[in-house]
Amino acid sequence: MIKLKTKEQIQKMREASEILCKTHLALQKILKPGLSTLQLDKFAHDFMIYKKAKPAQLGYMGFPYSLCTSVNDEICHGFPTDYRLKEGDLISIDNVVEYNGGLADSCWSYKIGEVSEEVSKLYDVTYNSLMRAIEVSQVGYRLGDIGHAIQEYVEENGFSVVREFTGHGIGDEMHEDPQVLHYGKAGRGQRLEENMVFTIEPMVNIGHWKSKLDDNGWTARTIDNKVSCQFEHQIVITNSKPEILTDQNKYSLSKEDNEFISNYKL
């Protein structure tokens, strides 16, 4: 059942989203070749704690880390490890923040140094597919319009859309109804209503859309070992344009935040 959110719930999600966005802005300041994904996980964990927030992924259904760090052929739910980033890598960093009863969820991909032309195109197409989907996330449209907007654009550009993982409602719980597919037919599915809150998070592959699961039971990767990319926003359906809660452009790091980053021992 889809739960429409109250003004108070949405405001709490805005507050959590600010901390989530600032966590990504902080990560952008330290990302470089040579850093391990475990170092990124510890840094983000400590930054969220410093902001008096809870890393909501840590312990969720047994997940043992604060971030999902998916590198190159990893599609999603990548475990942070001692793998050290190198020039040409593409990393998708997914995190969920809980603050004062509000939840915020967003994944962002980052190019490490110079990447190949194909990977750069994948990055752009994935981001653009997300923004095209948000454009049709308005009252009166349907969930199928979101999936169609993503799939049509991605496939026009020669890539494929992962089917096994979806966007989702979010509010009292990290994952709620509705399920938001990133493929499908326009005009199908649940009609969008004001005060629905959900994520859109297309995962796009250079090769085949199918995934395989690592032995850890979490990390999904492409079956052909080709690169995957993901972007995710959490949005609110309003009576006009959708509100993007996890828009990093709305925020900037404070003097105290920058001091935390500068003094942090990686």
Side-chain angles (χ1 to χ4, degrees):
M1 183 180 73
I2 298 173
K3 303 174 185 175
L4 301 181
K5 303 304 185 288
T6 65
K7 289 181 180 179
E8 291 75 19
Q9 285 177 305
I10 292 169
Q11 180 55 32
K12 285 185 176 183
M13 286 189 273
R14 286 192 189 102
E15 293 167 3
S17 293
E18 179 176 356
I19 296 173
L20 182 147
C21 288
K22 288 187 174 183
T23 303
H24 274 285
L25 293 175
L27 283 164
Q28 289 169 34
K29 290 204 134 192
I30 67 164
L31 271 172
K32 62 181 179 180
L35 279 181
S36 73
T37 53
L38 268 174
Q39 286 175 300
L40 297 177
D41 181 72
K42 185 176 187 308
F43 172 82
H45 174 276
D46 292 347
F47 186 86
M48 286 182 267
I49 297 300
Y50 145 73
K51 299 296 285 185
K52 304 191 186 316
K54 178 183 176 182
Q57 288 183 145
L58 181 61
Y60 178 76
M61 295 182 68
F63 189 79
Y65 300 100
S66 297
L67 296 180
C68 297
T69 55
S70 304
V71 183
N72 295 333
D73 68 322
E74 294 174 337
I75 295 170
C76 62
H77 306 154
F79 273 23
T81 68
D82 57 5
Y83 174 81
R84 294 190 177 275
L85 297 171
K86 63 181 186 297
E87 185 92 6
D89 282 345
L90 184 70
I91 181 170
S92 299
I93 300 178
D94 191 356
N95 69 314
V96 185
V97 167
E98 181 182 337
Y99 179 73
N100 192 29
L103 285 167
D105 183 3
S106 180
C107 179
W108 219 247
S109 286
Y110 300 99
K111 295 180 277 190
I112 305 301
E114 292 292 324
V115 300
S116 71
E117 185 175 331
E118 186 176 40
V119 169
S120 185
K121 180 182 177 182
L122 174 72
Y123 178 98
D124 291 341
V125 167
T126 307
Y127 175 78
N128 290 339
S129 74
L130 169 61
M131 301 312 293
R132 283 171 176 253
I134 291 173
E135 286 178 8
V136 297
S137 298
Q138 300 189 43
V139 172
Y141 283 79
R142 294 182 180 272
L143 284 172
D145 298 320
I146 293 173
H148 176 75
I150 293 168
Q151 183 179 14
E152 181 179 55
Y153 178 73
V154 166
E155 293 180 355
E156 280 176 356
N157 280 279
F159 299 124
S160 66
V161 181
V162 173
R163 309 286 205 275
E164 297 98 330
F165 303 96
T166 71
H168 52 87
I170 183 169
D172 295 327
E173 304 290 337
M174 191 185 302
H175 294 99
E176 299 180 351
D177 290 335
Q179 199 176 54
V180 183
L181 303 182
H182 304 122
Y183 63 96
K185 295 184 178 181
R188 302 282 183 88
Q190 174 75 37
R191 199 175 290 278
L192 304 184
E193 299 179 57
E194 186 177 0
N195 296 326
M196 289 173 66
V197 181
F198 53 80
T199 71
I200 306 174
E201 45 188 293
M203 288 148 265
V204 177
N205 298 345
I206 285 176
H208 203 284
W209 61 263
K210 286 188 177 179
S211 67
K212 57 187 177 183
L213 202 62
D214 282 1
D215 291 342
N216 62 32
W218 282 94
T219 304
R221 65 179 71 237
T222 58
I223 61 168
D224 51 17
N225 303 119
K226 293 185 178 179
V227 176
S228 183
C229 183
Q230 181 184 11
F231 283 99
E232 173 188 12
H233 269 316
Q234 180 172 328
I235 66 170
V236 181
I237 304 302
T238 75
N239 59 11
S240 56
K241 291 183 178 180
E243 177 185 356
I244 304 174
L245 294 175
T246 50
D247 182 1
Q248 296 175 26
N249 295 320
K250 295 192 292 189
Y251 304 105
S252 59
L253 295 169
S254 68
K255 178 183 176 183
E256 292 76 18
D257 296 338
N258 282 310
E259 286 175 354
F260 175 92
I261 297 165
S262 298
N263 294 330
Y264 193 84
K265 304 298 183 186
L266 288 165

